[in-house]
Amino acid sequence: MLEELIACFLSLFSALTLDAPRISRELNNHAWEDKILHREHHVSFEEETEYVQVGYELRKKPTYTRSLLRSLKANVAITLAVLPLVLIGMALIYFDLRTADLCSEWEAKNYTLSFDVRRIRLIGIGVEEMILYLSFSLNFIVLFGWNEFKRHYSSTILVGQLVGLFTTLYLSFLLLFGIHDTGPIKSYDVPALLTFAVAILWESAIVVRKIRRNHPDVFYSVRHIVTVLAVPLLSSFAMAMFYRYAVVTWFSSLDNVLYRFILAILTPTLALVPTAICRHMALWRSSEIIEPGRSFALVYFIRAAFITLYRVMQADFGNIWLFVGLSLLSGFSSLLKTTTVGIREKVWARVIGFLNRTCCTRLHHLPGNTPHHRRFKADTEIQNILFENNSLILSQSYIVLYTITNFQLSDWSVVKSSLIRIAVGLMIELVFNFLSTFVRIHWHNIPIARVWSKYWKRHVFANGIVVAALVCYFTKPLLTVFQDRFHHSGAGNYTIRNCTLPYESWR
């Protein structure tokens, strides 16, 4: 209900401040439907190839069996697609632990790091900075498509790499002058954070200029276009910093397991406001410059941050029943939200109608059953399934790789525990995702299966961008969660790997 309440205020605010799109433009946008099939199921080949007008509904309702099979097939395919994403994430985690966060446990014990180790860490940080700055430019490929990006927006890659190079040079000077701080918040990180925000605005300005020059018939103002492009990215950047410097630190400082459990549950609610804002812009304020089939790129990376953090908090619990409880809670809340969509739509339509008659005449109800909305919902649900599964596996990968790279112990004892949790977690996710997808396909007419079958490459590519960016940005603060676990759970008896040995002898 909170999400709908936020959307109501956004509709009133946007009606008073933002440019209203022209109706003719919205209806005549040929990419609008993206040949979106207004129904998930088609009775014949002719109906499947003949794209229908807005609002058309097929008279024949699909059977339960067909909907169940489509849901099962889509979820199995999406789950299998997680494998290459997980391999990329694990490779980046291992690279980080061998470079940017080399000897992290050694450093946590206040042992001295040699200059060679700090130099290797700088190289790793430089590579991660380049990946992080590159991810913003690659996101434009998802937003506009490869051909459009190559013709008009490829210069954003150069801007991102130049700013990333500047940040790396800045860190190199800190190393040369011996400026080093092991605290979670470093004052000399501020310039690097500011340069990232500048890079976002700079690249957004390049895209805006290209749009105005190549598409002079676009009705939106410059301010409107900048808002659509920059606000989602800046919002995700702000949320990432909040999670990194506030939520993770708070979670690590809590000694009571119950308090940690409650904080892990509440973490997803922290992203409700920025997610609702970006969702509102993606659905109602971006169709002149971004195809509806690509507008999910304005939203999905905000949700990725809190899903990853939630999974890492879940992985930190030593009690497997708490782990299972969080998985069940996540799956049940998602299923409950899916099954109550129709009820909530009717409730808010009545509430807004009452407000229209009494005080808020400009407040309007945003319909949730339009072709654009159904396509957007299909894209975001596919991304949610991908993130839930790969973040579940990557959170366990953090534990395994962190443990075996910092301590001398039996690898299998660590891997075995994580494999059990991964198997249990994936099974729970598959069951709840299967049920949620079935409800969306059969009753809500959300074309999840068809969108995935036609655009799975786009979704895997988009998800891979965010996985790489999250690993590069969040690995260091997430390691503090596991460090705290080892320092206070009796694991201090493990022998730490000696970082004074030659690099070749380190795992």
Side-chain angles (χ1 to χ4, degrees):
M1 296 296 283
L2 182 59
E3 185 176 350
E4 282 82 0
L5 182 61
I6 295 171
C8 285
F9 283 109
L10 286 174
S11 68
L12 177 61
F13 177 78
S14 62
L16 297 173
T17 58
L18 294 180
D19 305 324
R22 294 176 298 186
I23 296 177
S24 61
R25 176 74 179 183
E26 293 294 327
L27 294 179
N28 294 328
N29 192 341
H30 67 88
W32 220 100
E33 296 289 312
D34 184 31
K35 312 303 189 206
I36 304 175
L37 315 161
H38 295 275
R39 292 208 52 95
E40 171 67 25
H41 307 274
H42 298 272
V43 179
S44 65
F45 177 78
E46 289 76 13
E47 288 173 330
E48 184 170 350
T49 55
E50 181 181 353
Y51 304 112
V52 295
Q53 296 178 353
V54 176
Y56 180 83
E57 296 285 347
L58 292 180
R59 291 186 296 271
K60 184 176 180 180
K61 188 176 181 179
T63 63
Y64 286 97
T65 302
R66 190 174 184 182
S67 297
L68 287 169
L69 290 176
R70 279 180 173 267
S71 176
L72 180 61
K73 182 180 178 180
N75 276 279
V76 171
I78 295 173
T79 302
L80 292 176
V82 168
L83 180 60
L85 298 172
V86 168
L87 293 177
I88 293 173
M90 292 176 63
L92 288 173
I93 293 172
Y94 183 73
F95 173 80
D96 180 277
L97 293 171
R98 292 280 285 168
T99 56
D101 286 301
L102 183 65
C103 304
S104 55
E105 190 64 29
W106 187 267
E107 183 182 35
K109 294 292 185 181
N110 294 322
Y111 295 152
T112 302
L113 295 177
S114 66
F115 182 82
D116 289 336
V117 171
R118 293 175 62 191
R119 182 173 56 187
I120 293 171
R121 294 177 75 166
L122 176 62
I123 295 173
I125 292 173
V127 173
E128 290 185 349
E129 289 288 338
M130 290 299 184
I131 295 175
L132 196 59
Y133 284 95
L134 183 63
S135 64
F136 179 47
S137 300
L138 294 179
N139 190 62
F140 286 130
I141 299 178
V142 183
L143 278 174
F144 301 107
W146 169 246
N147 292 329
E148 186 77 6
F149 176 82
K150 183 173 61 175
R151 284 197 302 265
H152 304 301
Y153 311 120
S154 57
S155 58
T156 57
I157 293 181
L158 178 61
V159 173
Q161 295 305 290
L162 286 176
V163 178
L165 179 61
F166 170 80
T167 304
T168 304
L169 291 175
Y170 168 72
L171 296 175
S172 301
F173 280 110
L174 294 180
L175 175 63
L176 292 176
F177 287 100
I179 302 175
H180 184 61
D181 186 4
T182 59
I185 302 178
K186 307 175 182 63
S187 58
Y188 55 76
D189 277 348
V190 175
L193 297 176
L194 291 178
T195 55
F196 188 77
V198 169
I200 291 177
L201 294 175
W202 189 356
E203 293 179 33
S204 298
I206 292 175
V207 174
V208 170
R209 182 171 60 86
K210 295 288 187 178
I211 289 176
R212 301 304 283 174
R213 187 178 69 182
N214 299 318
H215 305 284
D217 58 331
V218 170
F219 179 71
Y220 298 148
S221 65
V222 172
R223 173 175 58 86
H224 189 121
I225 299 174
V226 171
T227 301
V228 169
L229 294 176
V231 168
L233 294 165
L234 289 174
S235 298
S236 63
F237 179 50
M239 288 300 299
M241 288 196 298
F242 176 69
Y243 284 140
R244 175 171 182 167
Y245 296 112
V247 177
V248 173
T249 304
W250 187 17
F251 182 83
S252 300
S253 66
L254 296 175
D255 296 328
N256 191 300
V257 176
L258 178 61
Y259 293 159
R260 288 192 170 198
F261 184 82
I262 294 174
L263 181 58
I265 293 175
L266 295 178
T267 299
T269 62
L270 301 177
L272 274 178
V273 174
T275 300
I277 293 173
C278 296
R279 181 175 177 271
H280 180 82
M281 289 192 297
L283 277 171
W284 307 106
R285 303 293 167 181
S286 65
S287 59
E288 287 203 19
I289 58 176
I290 299 172
E291 294 180 11
R294 298 180 179 274
S295 58
F296 74 93
L298 297 174
V299 181
Y300 76 115
F301 45 80
I302 296 181
R303 296 179 58 83
F306 78 73
I307 290 175
T308 302
L309 183 59
Y310 178 83
R311 288 301 185 184
V312 170
M313 289 180 175
Q314 178 189 18
D316 182 59
F317 292 112
N319 190 329
I320 191 171
W321 295 113
L322 287 177
F323 176 88
V324 173
L326 283 174
S327 291
L328 291 173
L329 181 64
S330 175
F332 180 76
S333 62
S334 176
L335 180 60
L336 181 64
K337 182 179 178 181
T338 301
T339 54
T340 57
V341 167
I343 298 175
R344 289 184 282 121
E345 279 283 330
K346 293 178 180 178
V347 169
W348 282 108
R350 291 175 178 267
V351 170
I352 294 175
F354 172 77
L355 293 175
N356 288 153
R357 294 190 299 269
T358 55
C359 59
C360 304
T361 57
R362 297 201 65 175
L363 185 66
H364 56 277
H365 177 62
L366 302 178
N369 197 33
T370 63
H372 186 181
H373 186 277
R374 291 198 292 270
R375 174 58 192 272
F376 178 81
K377 198 64 180 176
D379 288 315
T380 53
E381 285 304 312
I382 290 172
Q383 287 298 320
N384 285 342
I385 297 173
L386 287 172
F387 277 125
E388 291 285 359
N389 288 318
N390 63 38
S391 61
L392 172 66
I393 301 174
L394 289 178
S395 62
Q396 295 299 320
S397 301
Y398 271 114
I399 294 180
V400 172
L401 294 175
Y402 169 78
T403 304
I404 66 177
T405 55
N406 284 279
F407 299 97
Q408 296 180 5
L409 74 169
S410 172
D411 297 347
W412 174 243
S413 62
V414 181
V415 174
K416 180 181 178 181
S417 174
S418 293
L419 286 178
I420 294 174
R421 291 168 181 257
I422 290 174
V424 173
L426 287 178
M427 184 60 64
I428 293 174
E429 285 299 318
L430 182 61
V431 171
F432 280 103
N433 288 333
F434 164 70
L435 295 175
S436 296
T437 304
F438 166 70
V439 172
R440 294 187 187 282
I441 289 176
H442 192 78
W443 280 287
H444 300 159
N445 195 23
I446 308 298
I448 295 177
R450 288 195 58 80
V451 170
W452 170 255
S453 65
K454 293 186 66 176
Y455 302 105
W456 64 270
K457 293 180 182 179
R458 178 187 303 174
H459 279 283
V460 171
F461 177 71
N463 204 265
I465 295 172
V466 180
V467 167
L470 287 175
V471 170
C472 292
Y473 186 77
F474 272 108
T475 295
K476 191 172 187 64
L478 293 180
L479 289 181
T480 61
V481 176
F482 303 131
Q483 285 176 343
D484 182 75
R485 174 184 179 181
F486 274 89
H487 296 165
H488 296 89
S489 63
N493 296 326
Y494 292 154
T495 303
I496 300 176
R497 294 190 181 276
N498 189 352
C499 286
T500 62
L501 297 176
Y503 182 77
E504 288 75 12
S505 64
W506 303 338
R507 185 187 296 271

XYZ file of all heavy atoms in Angstrom, residues 445-473:
239
model
N -2.294 -10.873 -17.112
C -1.956 -10.662 -18.516
C -0.573 -10.027 -18.719
O -0.370 -9.189 -19.589
C -3.041 -9.786 -19.167
C -2.981 -9.822 -20.683
O -2.465 -10.766 -21.261
N -3.495 -8.790 -21.310
N 0.391 -10.397 -17.881
C 1.756 -9.893 -17.972
C 2.570 -10.860 -18.836
O 2.729 -12.024 -18.478
C 2.405 -9.764 -16.578
C 1.509 -8.965 -15.634
C 3.780 -9.133 -16.688
C 1.261 -7.555 -16.069
N 3.122 -10.413 -19.965
C 3.785 -11.335 -20.916
C 5.215 -11.687 -20.533
O 6.158 -11.477 -21.299
C 3.735 -10.546 -22.224
C 3.829 -9.118 -21.792
C 3.065 -9.038 -20.496
N 5.401 -12.252 -19.357
C 6.751 -12.555 -18.874
C 7.429 -13.600 -19.757
O 8.597 -13.440 -20.154
C 6.690 -13.030 -17.410
C 6.195 -11.899 -16.501
C 8.061 -13.526 -16.952
C 6.027 -12.301 -15.062
N 6.715 -14.671 -20.060
C 7.328 -15.760 -20.835
C 7.720 -15.302 -22.238
O 8.813 -15.610 -22.729
C 6.364 -16.950 -20.913
N 6.835 -14.555 -22.895
C 7.137 -14.123 -24.259
C 8.241 -13.077 -24.295
O 9.090 -13.081 -25.178
C 5.867 -13.589 -24.926
C 4.865 -14.674 -25.263
C 3.811 -14.170 -26.225
N 4.413 -13.672 -27.463
C 4.827 -14.446 -28.467
N 4.715 -15.759 -28.359
N 5.334 -13.921 -29.547
N 8.230 -12.156 -23.337
C 9.287 -11.141 -23.285
C 10.637 -11.808 -23.061
O 11.643 -11.455 -23.696
C 8.988 -10.103 -22.195
C 10.191 -9.196 -21.959
C 7.776 -9.247 -22.584
N 10.690 -12.778 -22.152
C 11.954 -13.459 -21.900
C 12.426 -14.225 -23.133
O 13.609 -14.193 -23.480
C 11.820 -14.414 -20.720
C 13.012 -15.306 -20.555
C 13.110 -16.625 -20.859
C 14.306 -14.914 -20.074
N 14.372 -17.099 -20.594
C 15.120 -16.078 -20.111
C 14.846 -13.723 -19.611
C 16.448 -16.044 -19.697
C 16.179 -13.696 -19.197
C 16.959 -14.846 -19.254
N 11.513 -14.925 -23.806
C 11.922 -15.717 -24.964
C 12.452 -14.847 -26.105
O 13.333 -15.278 -26.857
C 10.743 -16.556 -25.462
O 9.693 -15.724 -25.947
N 11.953 -13.613 -26.234
C 12.384 -12.741 -27.322
C 13.556 -11.839 -26.943
O 14.377 -11.491 -27.784
C 11.211 -11.871 -27.784
C 10.084 -12.644 -28.462
C 9.037 -11.709 -29.022
C 9.600 -10.867 -30.151
N 8.564 -10.004 -30.782
N 13.648 -11.464 -25.675
C 14.636 -10.450 -25.284
C 15.533 -10.913 -24.136
O 15.994 -10.100 -23.342
C 13.913 -9.158 -24.885
C 13.044 -8.603 -25.974
C 11.655 -8.721 -25.908
C 13.585 -7.979 -27.085
C 10.842 -8.228 -26.914
C 12.784 -7.487 -28.097
C 11.416 -7.604 -28.009
O 10.616 -7.126 -29.006
N 15.812 -12.199 -24.066
C 16.623 -12.702 -22.965
C 18.054 -12.170 -23.024
O 18.675 -11.945 -21.979
C 16.626 -14.234 -22.964
C 17.249 -14.864 -24.173
C 16.643 -15.204 -25.330
C 18.629 -15.233 -24.322
N 17.540 -15.754 -26.210
C 18.767 -15.798 -25.614
C 19.746 -15.157 -23.494
C 19.984 -16.265 -26.082
C 20.970 -15.619 -23.964
C 21.079 -16.167 -25.237
N 18.589 -11.948 -24.218
C 19.949 -11.414 -24.319
C 20.039 -10.017 -23.708
O 21.007 -9.686 -23.019
C 20.383 -11.382 -25.787
C 20.552 -12.750 -26.427
C 20.983 -12.625 -27.878
C 21.104 -13.990 -28.537
N 21.490 -13.891 -29.966
N 19.034 -9.192 -23.995
C 19.005 -7.843 -23.427
C 18.972 -7.888 -21.911
O 19.691 -7.131 -21.235
C 17.788 -7.086 -23.955
C 17.622 -5.688 -23.403
C 16.302 -5.071 -23.835
N 16.178 -5.037 -25.292
C 15.080 -4.653 -25.931
N 14.000 -4.301 -25.240
N 15.045 -4.633 -27.245
N 18.183 -8.787 -21.357
C 18.046 -8.863 -19.902
C 19.310 -9.417 -19.244
O 19.722 -8.946 -18.182
C 16.832 -9.711 -19.537
C 15.548 -8.957 -19.614
N 15.141 -8.071 -18.646
C 14.584 -8.935 -20.567
C 13.970 -7.553 -18.978
N 13.614 -8.048 -20.138
N 19.913 -10.407 -19.859
C 21.165 -10.951 -19.304
C 22.261 -9.901 -19.353
O 23.033 -9.730 -18.390
C 21.579 -12.229 -20.067
C 22.975 -12.677 -19.642
C 20.566 -13.347 -19.819
N 22.353 -9.172 -20.458
C 23.357 -8.118 -20.582
C 23.130 -7.021 -19.535
O 24.070 -6.585 -18.860
C 23.303 -7.519 -21.985
C 24.244 -6.364 -22.206
C 25.614 -6.566 -22.275
C 23.754 -5.070 -22.338
C 26.480 -5.504 -22.471
C 24.611 -4.005 -22.536
C 25.978 -4.215 -22.600
N 21.886 -6.578 -19.387
C 21.572 -5.539 -18.411
C 21.889 -5.998 -16.998
O 22.468 -5.248 -16.196
C 20.094 -5.146 -18.521
N 21.543 -7.228 -16.689
C 21.809 -7.744 -15.359
C 23.302 -7.900 -15.108
O 23.785 -7.644 -13.996
C 21.101 -9.095 -15.188
C 20.835 -9.421 -13.740
O 21.628 -10.111 -13.121
N 19.717 -8.943 -13.211
N 24.034 -8.291 -16.142
C 25.481 -8.420 -15.992
C 26.155 -7.094 -15.681
O 27.124 -7.042 -14.915
N 25.668 -6.011 -16.282
C 26.222 -4.684 -16.001
C 26.092 -4.345 -14.527
O 27.048 -3.903 -13.882
C 25.514 -3.615 -16.857
C 25.794 -3.829 -18.346
C 25.960 -2.211 -16.448
C 24.973 -2.921 -19.238
N 24.910 -4.575 -13.985
C 24.670 -4.212 -12.595
C 25.417 -5.137 -11.642
O 25.922 -4.700 -10.607
C 23.157 -4.217 -12.299
C 22.894 -3.849 -10.853
C 22.449 -3.245 -13.214
N 25.494 -6.422 -11.968
C 26.263 -7.357 -11.134
C 27.713 -6.904 -11.037
O 28.306 -6.863 -9.940
C 26.161 -8.787 -11.692
C 27.207 -9.696 -11.040
C 24.768 -9.353 -11.468
N 28.313 -6.538 -12.174
C 29.704 -6.078 -12.166
C 29.858 -4.801 -11.352
O 30.798 -4.664 -10.556
C 30.176 -5.854 -13.605
N 28.932 -3.850 -11.520
C 29.023 -2.586 -10.788
C 28.846 -2.805 -9.295
O 29.569 -2.204 -8.472
C 27.963 -1.610 -11.312
N 27.917 -3.655 -8.893
C 27.677 -3.902 -7.473
C 28.874 -4.584 -6.809
O 29.262 -4.231 -5.689
C 26.425 -4.756 -7.299
C 25.089 -4.060 -7.545
C 23.946 -5.053 -7.448
C 24.882 -2.926 -6.555
N 29.452 -5.567 -7.490
C 30.616 -6.247 -6.911
C 31.777 -5.267 -6.749
O 32.455 -5.245 -5.711
C 31.026 -7.444 -7.791
C 32.375 -8.010 -7.327
C 29.962 -8.526 -7.740
N 31.998 -4.424 -7.757
C 33.112 -3.477 -7.691
C 32.899 -2.415 -6.619
O 33.865 -1.947 -6.014
C 33.305 -2.803 -9.054
S 33.886 -3.909 -10.344
N 31.659 -2.041 -6.374
C 31.398 -0.961 -5.421
C 31.157 -1.469 -3.997
O 31.575 -0.836 -3.024
C 30.181 -0.149 -5.871
C 29.932 1.072 -5.000
C 30.707 2.209 -5.147
C 28.929 1.072 -4.041
C 30.496 3.330 -4.349
C 28.708 2.180 -3.244
C 29.485 3.310 -3.406
O 29.273 4.398 -2.608
